[in-house]
């Protein structure tokens, strides 16, 4: 076996696949895949201080290009690439851990105990760049020409940016009226083919997965977080937090939960660092849902769902999803980034919760908006979904689950300017979006205008909008 391989997370399967293969789930049992390593053949560092030497080598020479990246300067902990020339980097991950004393004071915490990890300072303005750099590296390894994702906005912005810089065709599936203008503007500006499907994020993800796996002639490489390479890059957020704290783990890491890729990656980062003897203390994890998109909270806190060494109760999940279908439930929250009712990384999130002794909470839209305003008032801002982490902290302090003298890092996942409508509306009461909605009759005048294409939630219509030939689907038993 080579150093890195893909492996099914189901303990009753554990099938393995090479890293030169493309899978979005296990071909044998359909479970999620991990990227795993035979560490005895890799060259992992003996101590995290090993990475400090990279601070001195950030020039533009090839080595410096990857040392400059806040993801790849930790490359010994994600050695899945063949050679360093595989690496696709745009200078992602140079983000800041800020001591948020003024905000801590508002929450009744002691100074030096609350830190905010500003992932909005990434090139595309959200944490997604950490994962995209890794997935685009894999896409280059396998020679992918067309990459696609479903998105609530940030994944599409990040994909579009990486696609344009790596001269790959980017295709993004967004829900109708579900995406903030900041994020939509990025996808259009970076030249991605933008399909506005008549549905929500869950519908979009179902479609793009269907096309990536069941219509192979479209040649689509899937960039959503079911792609296990994405999560390898997102582990680096944890390495940077440790680095900024002189390699001391905090007591808590708090993160908003949507599709649950980030929290899954955090759990994996700590599992591996523990296995490699790089760390003793494991922080506790808190995953925060919006009340309008609270599937994980319901499953964990109402139904008692647990990882159970990988044999989690799938029947309970199936029943909840069937009930959601029956009542035509759709997620709905002001934090549009996490407006997701069927988190695809659910099992990995359960695993992270088990390993990091984690908790799950939900917070209302009002709590999200108030805490978003507090973050901005006493520091740099963030978008609504990101502030779920701070609202969740507040709740856990009130419940005394988190003690006032414990050290806490909240992950601020996206930049404030991603969703200025939410900010302006909070401060003025004016719904800017309703006055600026894309006027259907408007004709763009710009020479590079790239309009989103409205598409029915129908396979034939989507294939046509992607430039494929829907005639070729005839006679195949594909759900339309
Ligand atoms: N915060 C922001 C700002 C996000 O954009 C997302 C996810 C999350 C939190 C949740 O992260 O999915 O790893 O649990 N946005 C995705 C997107 C779904 O399409 O941009 P997660």
């Amino acid at each position: 076996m080579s150093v890195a391989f893909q492996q099914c997370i189901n303990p009753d399967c554990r099938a393995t696949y090479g890293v030169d293969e493309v899978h979005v789930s296990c071909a044998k049992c359909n479970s999620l895949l991990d990227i795993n390593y035979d560490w005895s053949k890799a060259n992992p560092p003996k101590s995290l201080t090993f990475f400090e030497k990279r601070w001195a080598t950030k020039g533009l020479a090839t080595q410096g290009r990857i040392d400059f990246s806040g993801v790849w300067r930790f490359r010994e902990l994600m050695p899945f690439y063949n050679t360093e020339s595989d690496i696709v980097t745009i200078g992602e991950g140079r983000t800041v851990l800020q001591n948020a004393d003024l905000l801590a004071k508002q929450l009744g915490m002691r100074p030096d105990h609350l830190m905010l990890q500003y992932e909005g300072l990434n090139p595309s303005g959200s944490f997604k760049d950490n994962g995209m750099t890794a997935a685009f590296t894999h896409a280059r390894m396998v020679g992918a020409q067309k990459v696609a994702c479903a998105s609530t906005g940030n994944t599409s912005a990040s994909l579009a940016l990486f696609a344009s810089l790596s001269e790959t065709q980017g295709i993004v599936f967004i829900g109708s009226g579900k995406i903030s203008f900041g994020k939509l503007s990025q996808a259009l500006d970076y030249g991605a083919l933008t399909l506005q499907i008549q549905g929500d994020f869950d519908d979009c993800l179902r479609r793009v997965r269907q096309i990536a796996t069941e219509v192979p002639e479209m040649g689509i490489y899937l960039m959503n977080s079911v792609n296990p390479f994405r999560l390898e890059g997102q582990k680096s957020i944890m390495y940077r937090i440790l680095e900024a704290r002189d390699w001391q783990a905090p007591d808590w890491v708090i993160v908003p939960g949507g599709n649950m890729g980030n929290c899954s990656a955090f759990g994996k980062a700590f599992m591996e660092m523990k296995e490699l003897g790089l760390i003793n203390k494991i922080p506790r994890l808190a995953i925060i849902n919006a009340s309008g998109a609270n599937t994980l909270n319901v499953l964990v806190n109402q139904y008692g769902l647990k990882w159970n060494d990988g044999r989690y109760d799938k029947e309970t999940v199936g029943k909840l999803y069937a009930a959601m279908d029956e009542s035509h439930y759709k997620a709905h929250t002001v934090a549009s980034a996490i407006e997701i009712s069927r988190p695809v990384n659910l099992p990995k999130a359960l695993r992270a919760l088990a390993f990091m002794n984690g908790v799950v909470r939900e917070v209302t839209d009002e709590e999200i908006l108030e805490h978003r305003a507090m973050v901005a008032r006493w520091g740099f801002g963030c978008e609504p979904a990101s502030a779920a982490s701070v609202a969740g902290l507040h709740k856990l302090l009130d419940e005394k689950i988190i003690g006032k003298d414990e050290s806490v890092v909240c992950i601020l996942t996206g930049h404030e300017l991603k969703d200025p409508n939410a900010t302006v509306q909070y401060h003025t009461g004016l719904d800017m979006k309703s006055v600026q909605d894309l006027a259907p009759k408007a004709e763009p005048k710009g020479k590079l205008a790239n309009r989103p294409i409205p598409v029915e939630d129908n396979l034939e219509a989507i294939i046509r909008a992607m430039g494929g030939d829907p005639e070729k689907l005839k006679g195949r038993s594909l759900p339309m």
Side-chain angles (χ1 to χ4, degrees):
M1 212 172 344
S2 49
V3 171
F5 51 96
Q6 308 190 58
Q7 186 162 35
C8 174
I9 69 165
N10 173 358
D12 299 316
C13 177
R14 302 299 277 163
T16 59
Y17 306 92
V19 283
D20 51 351
E21 296 179 40
V22 179
H23 295 280
V24 291
S25 62
C26 175
K28 300 209 167 89
C29 75
N30 211 26
S31 301
L32 295 171
L33 298 172
D34 268 335
I35 307 306
N36 282 338
Y37 305 98
D38 178 350
W39 293 112
S40 69
K41 292 192 187 137
N43 197 14
K46 306 230 167 351
S47 155
L48 290 170
T49 55
F50 164 87
F51 295 110
E52 291 174 7
K53 67 175 193 214
R54 299 262 155 84
W55 301 343
T57 48
K58 295 192 178 72
L60 276 180
T62 310
Q63 186 77 14
R65 189 182 61 94
I66 50 180
D67 287 354
F68 183 85
S69 163
V71 176
W72 297 105
R73 70 172 182 259
F74 300 103
R75 58 192 171 275
E76 284 77 6
L77 296 177
M78 49 188 87
F80 66 80
Y81 51 89
N82 296 323
T83 66
E84 288 178 355
S85 59
D86 289 335
I87 293 176
V88 179
T89 172
I90 61 168
E92 60 289 321
R94 293 180 60 82
T95 58
V96 171
L97 183 73
Q98 190 208 30
N99 222 338
D101 282 349
L102 295 176
L103 180 62
K105 198 166 153 195
Q106 306 302 317
L107 298 173
M109 291 174 76
R110 297 212 335 245
D112 288 333
H113 282 64
L114 174 59
M115 273 141 274
L116 301 178
Q117 175 71 9
Y118 279 94
E119 287 301 310
L121 298 177
N122 267 291
S124 83
S126 86
F127 74 93
K128 303 287 179 182
D129 295 349
N130 294 291
M132 277 307 157
T133 186
F136 269 82
T137 295
H138 183 244
R140 178 179 281 177
M141 284 163 64
V142 298
Q145 302 291 321
K146 284 189 202 170
V147 299
C149 70
S151 181
T152 56
N154 282 324
T155 305
S156 56
S158 183
L159 176 146
L161 181 51
F162 274 89
S164 85
L165 287 176
S166 62
E167 295 183 283
T168 316
Q169 189 190 351
I171 305 170
V172 306
F173 287 52
I174 56 174
S176 288
K178 296 288 184 181
I179 179 173
S180 70
F181 271 25
K183 301 172 192 181
L184 177 61
S185 64
Q186 289 180 287
L188 301 178
D189 226 20
Y190 306 146
L193 176 69
T194 303
L195 305 182
Q196 209 163 11
I197 308 289
Q198 285 169 8
D200 62 8
F201 172 83
D202 297 300
D203 300 318
C204 289
L205 185 56
R206 188 166 47 82
R207 285 303 182 189
V208 73
R209 265 180 107 161
Q210 181 186 28
I211 292 166
T213 54
E214 295 177 43
V215 194
E217 65 266 32
M218 294 300 289
I220 293 300
Y221 179 96
L222 187 66
M223 284 287 176
N224 280 97
S225 55
V226 282
N227 177 335
F229 292 93
R230 274 265 314 268
L231 303 194
E232 287 308 285
Q234 285 173 219
K235 296 189 302 193
S236 67
I237 300 173
M238 294 300 103
Y239 309 147
R240 294 199 295 276
I241 287 174
L242 292 173
E243 179 183 53
R245 294 174 46 86
D246 290 336
W247 313 109
Q248 302 298 313
D251 295 314
W252 285 88
V253 172
I254 310 186
V255 63
N259 228 359
M260 308 296 161
N262 234 5
C263 56
S264 299
F266 298 174
K268 187 169 188 282
F270 282 106
M271 285 161 66
E272 289 171 347
M273 282 189 283
K274 179 87 179 139
E275 183 190 341
L276 291 170
L278 293 172
I279 193 164
N280 294 317
K281 175 176 161 180
I282 307 297
R284 294 190 69 186
L285 174 70
I287 307 176
I288 313 299
N289 272 169
S291 297
N294 62 353
T295 304
L296 184 72
N297 189 46
V298 169
L299 285 169
V300 168
N301 290 324
Q302 283 181 31
Y303 295 101
L305 192 69
K306 287 200 166 58
W307 169 238
N308 193 24
D309 291 326
R311 296 187 183 89
Y312 67 98
D313 181 358
K314 294 192 179 114
E315 208 174 302
T316 296
V317 182
K319 274 191 198 148
L320 179 70
Y321 287 2
M324 288 183 340
D325 279 346
E326 206 167 311
S327 62
H328 301 289
Y329 171 82
K330 293 278 176 201
H332 188 68
T333 165
V334 67
S336 55
I338 51 175
E339 192 178 66
I340 294 173
S341 65
R342 288 163 184 257
V344 289
N345 289 298
L346 172 71
K348 289 184 177 175
L350 296 174
R351 181 175 70 180
L353 286 167
F355 187 74
M356 297 177 73
N357 188 16
V359 298
V360 181
R361 289 293 180 271
E362 65 177 68
V363 290
T364 63
D365 279 4
E366 194 186 340
E367 289 169 319
I368 288 172
L369 291 174
E370 287 304 334
H371 287 84
R372 197 214 58 76
M374 285 169 72
V375 169
R377 178 66 185 76
W378 289 289
F380 325 105
C382 62
E383 65 167 286
S386 311
S389 60
V390 180
L393 164 64
H394 198 161
K395 187 163 254 185
L396 291 164
L397 285 166
D398 284 350
E399 291 178 21
K400 302 203 169 20
I401 306 263
I402 297 183
K404 290 197 164 45
D405 51 1
E406 288 191 282
S407 53
V408 177
V409 175
C410 289
I411 314 295
L412 297 186
T413 46
H415 200 284
E416 169 169 33
L417 296 177
K418 288 282 189 171
D419 193 357
N421 294 309
T423 309
V424 173
Q425 187 165 17
Y426 175 88
H427 290 289
T428 66
L430 285 176
D431 179 0
M432 301 303 283
K433 200 168 169 193
S434 65
V435 270
Q436 292 180 14
D437 249 345
L438 284 182
K441 292 200 195 73
E443 275 303 326
K445 297 207 172 64
K447 291 199 182 76
L448 293 174
N450 175 29
R451 295 179 77 174
I453 305 171
V455 194
E456 259 178 75
D457 183 14
N458 165 288
L459 188 60
E460 260 182 42
I462 296 171
I463 296 287
R464 194 174 301 114
M466 292 171 75
D469 180 3
E471 283 301 310
K472 294 200 178 132
L473 301 176
K474 295 252 154 71
R476 281 158 65 177
S477 61
L478 288 171
M480 288 294 154

